[in-house]
Amino acid sequence: MRRTLPEPGPQRLLAGASFAVTVGGGMLAGTTMLYLTRVVGMSAVRVGLGLTVGAVLGLVFGPYIGHLADRRGPREVHVATMLCGVAATAGFAVARTFWVLVLVSLLTTAVGSAGQASRAPLIRALAGADTTAYLAYQRAITNVAIMAGVLIGTVGIQLDSGPVYVGLILAAAGTFLAAALILTRLPHVPPLPADPAHSRWAALTDRPYLAVTLINGGMSLHLAVPTFALPLWIVENTSAPRAAITGIMLVNGVLVVALQVRVSRGVTDPRTAGVRMRWAGAALLAASVLIGAMSGLAWWSALLVLLAATVVYTFGELWQAAASFELAFGLARPHLQGQYAGVFGLGAGGANAAAPAVLAAVCLDHGQAGWWALGVLLLGCGALTPRAVAWAEATRGRAAAPV
């Protein structure tokens, strides 16, 4: 672990702030839904709709806050975003109606997308040429933070009382305050001067970058497989024991923590990232086929196939994560890193909002054929990535060529 950790200093502080916030997110996973349905008394359908509507609306804030971080200084904007996260997260404790829930969901999603966008210029300045390696490390510890937060939240779920749920929500809000305090110890990062050769909102008109963003969004649909589609598939369509759901999540989490840094080492530029995205598509196709094949098998056969699918899926997840790190940063214009990161986050954020409905309609409603269709879609996204990267690099080359 000591060999993996960055040296004491700004990089470790930034990772510590992300760790704190992610623990809070893990604490809210599951507990918010139970609080709103069991204590507040909203129906599950209204809660789900309110969270989805707010989340979709909140995504649009990312590019604007990222642009503000580029022009005003990322540390100060990121600290302000974390402070907004305190109030936004605490809002779940006072949500009593549908529209208040929509507002709270909008604010928390806005904080999430703005936090990602305002963090990007900090990472660019503090990690330098090792951006992909640093982000791989950060993703590994993020998985540790999620598991720690989920374990804390599990205590509240077992106690199942209003005061406990409110306490967890306020504690999760407090993690944003802890992150803000950590971030104040970072050095000031001056904004890069604007480039008069590019428009103010260049990221929103950069068609090659938007194409890569869209492709990565399509690939990101798979992130809801282990948390949404696969548990339902196991329970409703296979003979595998229900305990396997917890087991596969643990296997996936442990592999991500152990291997994300190592798997990311060969990703050094957008071209190698495009190749890894192609690998990811092939692995995710194989995992989807294996998951679909579980139906109709004896429980022990289904369990073995599930284990194999989980391992193959995790490598696809690792390759896609490493590739997306490099593509988000490597294809962005340095003086607009926050704005570009905000735009890139729209793809994954949109996929996160749409994934439950898409996976339910494709995989859960159509069985093996649906899992094949999902795999082919992911394979296609992976295969398209190198072409989109080549387009983006050619565009950059023409822009940089002397007149």
Side-chain angles (χ1 to χ4, degrees), residues 207-233:
R207 289 183 293 172
Y209 193 86
L210 292 175
V212 173
T213 296
L214 182 62
I215 292 170
N216 184 68
M219 286 288 287
S220 299
L221 286 172
H222 77 84
L223 293 173
V225 167
T227 58
F228 173 76
L230 188 52
L232 292 175
W233 178 254

Side-chain angles (χ1 to χ4, degrees), residues 53-65:
V53 171
V56 170
L57 295 174
L59 287 173
V60 301
F61 285 84
Y64 297 100
I65 301 302

Side-chain angles (χ1 to χ4, degrees), residues 25 44 48-49 91-93 100 135 142 157 171 193 222 252 261-262 295 299 303 325 369 378 391-392:
L49 181 62
F92 281 115
V100 172
L135 286 170
T142 294
I157 292 173
H222 77 84
N252 174 260
V261 174
R262 181 171 296 182
S295 180
W299 71 267
L303 203 56
F325 297 155
L378 298 174
W391 181 24

Side-chain angles (χ1 to χ4, degrees), residues 69 76 118 161-162 164 183 194 197 280 289 303 326 332 339 353 356 378 392 402:
E76 291 73 17
S118 58
S161 73
V164 172
L183 291 167
V289 171
L303 203 56
E326 177 59 38
Q339 184 186 131
L378 298 174

Side-chain angles (χ1 to χ4, degrees), residues 122-159:
L122 279 173
I123 294 173
R124 168 74 81 175
L126 300 178
D130 295 328
T131 297
T132 298
Y134 177 74
L135 286 170
Y137 154 75
Q138 187 163 283
R139 186 168 191 265
I141 67 164
T142 294
N143 275 266
V144 176
I146 290 173
M147 288 187 281
V150 168
L151 287 174
I152 296 171
T154 301
V155 176
I157 292 173
Q158 294 300 317
L159 295 174

Side-chain angles (χ1 to χ4, degrees), residues 348-368:
N352 183 59
V358 172
L359 295 181
V362 175
C363 301
L364 300 181
D365 285 354
H366 293 87
Q368 289 188 355

Side-chain angles (χ1 to χ4, degrees), residues 12-233:
R12 189 178 290 189
L13 288 171
L14 183 57
S18 297
F19 184 91
V21 169
T22 308
V23 170
M27 292 165 62
L28 291 179
T31 60
T32 303
M33 175 68 80
L34 290 173
Y35 170 71
L36 292 170
T37 54
R38 294 177 62 81
V39 178
V40 176
M42 293 188 194
S43 69
V45 173
R46 287 180 68 81
V47 171
L49 181 62
L51 292 174
T52 300
V53 171
V56 170
L57 295 174
L59 287 173
V60 301
F61 285 84
Y64 297 100
I65 301 302
H67 179 76
L68 186 64
D70 289 328
R71 301 281 68 85
R72 295 289 182 263
R75 187 194 68 173
E76 291 73 17
V77 173
H78 197 44
V79 169
T81 301
M82 294 298 100
L83 293 175
C84 290
V86 178
T89 304
F92 281 115
V94 296
R96 294 290 183 274
T97 65
F98 174 80
W99 290 111
V100 172
L101 176 60
V102 169
L103 176 61
V104 172
S105 177
L106 185 155
L107 293 175
T108 53
T109 303
V111 166
S113 58
Q116 176 183 339
S118 58
R119 189 185 302 117
L122 279 173
I123 294 173
R124 168 74 81 175
L126 300 178
D130 295 328
T131 297
T132 298
Y134 177 74
L135 286 170
Y137 154 75
Q138 187 163 283
R139 186 168 191 265
I141 67 164
T142 294
N143 275 266
V144 176
I146 290 173
M147 288 187 281
V150 168
L151 287 174
I152 296 171
T154 301
V155 176
I157 292 173
Q158 294 300 317
L159 295 174
D160 193 31
S161 73
V164 172
Y165 285 133
V166 171
L168 285 171
I169 291 171
L170 296 180
T175 62
F176 282 91
L177 180 60
L181 293 174
I182 293 171
L183 291 167
T184 58
R185 299 174 60 191
L186 290 176
H188 171 70
V189 175
L192 294 175
D195 187 344
H198 302 112
S199 67
R200 181 180 181 184
W201 297 104
L204 297 174
T205 58
D206 190 333
R207 289 183 293 172
Y209 193 86
L210 292 175
V212 173
T213 296
L214 182 62
I215 292 170
N216 184 68
M219 286 288 287
S220 299
L221 286 172
H222 77 84
L223 293 173
V225 167
T227 58
F228 173 76
L230 188 52
L232 292 175
W233 178 254

Side-chain angles (χ1 to χ4, degrees), residues 158-373:
Q158 294 300 317
L159 295 174
D160 193 31
S161 73
V164 172
Y165 285 133
V166 171
L168 285 171
I169 291 171
L170 296 180
T175 62
F176 282 91
L177 180 60
L181 293 174
I182 293 171
L183 291 167
T184 58
R185 299 174 60 191
L186 290 176
H188 171 70
V189 175
L192 294 175
D195 187 344
H198 302 112
S199 67
R200 181 180 181 184
W201 297 104
L204 297 174
T205 58
D206 190 333
R207 289 183 293 172
Y209 193 86
L210 292 175
V212 173
T213 296
L214 182 62
I215 292 170
N216 184 68
M219 286 288 287
S220 299
L221 286 172
H222 77 84
L223 293 173
V225 167
T227 58
F228 173 76
L230 188 52
L232 292 175
W233 178 254
I234 290 171
V235 171
E236 297 178 1
N237 297 277
T238 79
S239 58
R242 295 192 176 200
I245 296 172
T246 302
I248 61 170
M249 290 185 178
L250 288 174
V251 170
N252 174 260
V254 169
L255 288 176
V256 169
V257 172
L259 297 177
Q260 184 68 75
V261 174
R262 181 171 296 182
V263 167
S264 302
R265 284 177 183 160
V267 182
T268 56
D269 55 41
R271 292 187 182 183
T272 54
V275 173
R276 293 298 174 90
M277 195 72 89
R278 188 161 45 192
W279 293 5
L284 293 170
L285 168 63
S288 298
V289 171
L290 288 170
I291 292 170
M294 291 171 58
S295 180
L297 296 178
W299 71 267
W300 58 270
S301 299
L303 203 56
L304 290 175
V305 172
L306 176 61
L307 179 60
T310 301
V311 173
V312 174
Y313 167 85
T314 303
F315 273 93
E317 177 188 356
L318 294 169
W319 285 326
Q320 192 247 339
S324 65
F325 297 155
E326 177 59 38
L327 295 174
F329 282 81
L331 295 177
R333 302 189 187 280
H335 69 287
L336 295 174
Q337 186 67 73
Q339 184 186 131
Y340 270 78
V343 168
F344 198 79
L346 291 175
N352 183 59
V358 172
L359 295 181
V362 175
C363 301
L364 300 181
D365 285 354
H366 293 87
Q368 289 188 355
W371 285 105
W372 269 92

